[in-house]
Amino acid sequence: MLDDFFMRAVLAGLGLALVAGPLGSFVVWRRMAYFGDSTAHAAILGVALALAFDISIYAGTLAVAVSMACLVSALVARGQAMDTMLGVLSHSALAVGLVAISFVPAARSDLSSYLFGDILAVGRADLVLIWTGAALVLAVLIARWQRLVTSSLNEELAMAAGIDPRVERLVLSLALAVVVALAIRVVGSLLISAMLIVPAAAARGWARTPERMAAGAALIAAASVVAGLWASLRMDTPAGPSIVTAAACFFVLSQGLRRG
């Protein structure tokens, strides 16, 4: 089964969907969409560094994404204006990454695969990394679920319960960095935030508890992967954008049914 490139793509997408749903729910609750963009855009710089020093793409993107996550968390803790700061970091990180990658001849011809993903080129080693990373992040989210939910919904209540919101914010930031590194081969740096936000936003209107929203977001993300890859195969469209387009369709459908 793993010799079939389409099945490998489906398994890679489902591995990402498994963790993107719950983590995306926290991104929506905490209004961290711009934070996700900043971390994802910085991944391009990680790609350039990985190719320049001949190391794993995952290692390069993870190192830069973690650095960006720690930087943003530190600036937020110091009271910096979130919207302006994240806007500057997001676009600056993307611009610096694109400039850096232009100095790496091997990456110029394959730039679109890093921006929009190349899920159909996923190999067995990629599958192992994606599923291992997704399982680790999901295990952390489950282990700290109540702390993360409490600090996301009400930081004052969290502090009263002995929970440090800064620690939980850092945990989410690092988890987001790991997912960004995993997702760059699946949907690319420009579409990672969409895979986190759109399924969670679609599930939000129907879920009555945080747990149901997280599970619903994971199911919608998984359905988006399958539908997007099927559409890509039938209509010869880019796989990453097709997956995100499918997620957007589920969001529109959820809004229409909700209003109805």
Side-chain angles (χ1 to χ4, degrees):
M1 181 177 69
L2 294 182
D3 290 330
D4 186 335
F5 76 95
F6 185 77
M7 290 306 301
R8 289 198 300 269
V10 170
L11 289 174
L14 292 179
L16 176 62
L18 180 69
V19 68
L23 185 58
S25 298
F26 285 107
V27 171
V28 170
W29 292 330
R30 285 179 169 266
R31 299 180 181 179
M32 294 173 64
Y34 231 154
F35 179 92
D37 281 337
S38 301
T39 308
H41 290 171
I44 289 295
L45 178 58
V47 170
L49 293 176
L51 293 175
F53 292 99
D54 194 25
I55 61 175
S56 167
I57 295 295
Y58 293 107
T61 54
L62 179 60
V64 174
V66 167
S67 299
M68 176 64 76
C70 293
L71 173 62
V72 172
S73 295
L75 292 174
V76 170
R78 295 178 62 180
Q80 297 289 333
M82 279 287 291
D83 289 345
T84 302
M85 179 194 65
L86 289 178
V88 170
L89 288 176
S90 175
H91 300 300
S92 298
L94 179 60
V96 171
L98 291 174
V99 170
I101 211 169
S102 69
F103 290 100
V104 184
R108 293 180 184 177
S109 61
D110 204 26
L111 181 58
S112 64
S113 67
Y114 300 119
L115 294 175
F116 304 107
D118 192 12
I119 190 173
L120 297 179
V122 166
R124 295 186 179 186
D126 297 312
L127 278 179
V128 172
L129 284 172
I130 289 171
W131 275 90
T132 301
L136 289 174
V137 172
L138 194 60
V140 170
L141 294 181
I142 292 173
R144 305 186 68 89
W145 180 261
Q146 197 56 53
R147 288 174 170 267
L148 290 168
V149 170
T150 303
S151 62
S152 296
L153 300 181
N154 192 316
E155 290 195 353
E156 289 78 10
L157 179 61
M159 288 187 288
I163 300 171
D164 188 346
R166 294 173 298 179
V167 173
E168 307 310 318
R169 187 186 302 118
L170 181 60
V171 168
L172 285 177
S173 299
L174 295 177
L176 185 58
V178 173
V179 171
V180 165
L182 297 176
I184 196 165
R185 287 296 301 273
V186 178
V187 291
S189 67
L190 296 183
L191 302 176
I192 294 172
S193 292
M195 274 302 290
L196 289 166
I197 297 167
V198 178
R204 188 176 192 177
W206 297 95
R208 295 184 179 181
T209 66
E211 292 77 12
R212 289 185 180 181
M213 178 174 167
L219 288 175
I220 292 172
S224 300
V225 168
V226 175
L229 286 175
W230 177 84
S232 174
L233 191 66
R234 292 294 300 271
M235 297 183 286
D236 194 26
T237 55
S242 297
I243 292 172
V244 176
T245 299
C249 290
F250 282 118
F251 174 77
V252 172
L253 180 63
S254 72
Q255 297 302 299
L257 292 176
R258 182 183 177 187
R259 291 177 181 178

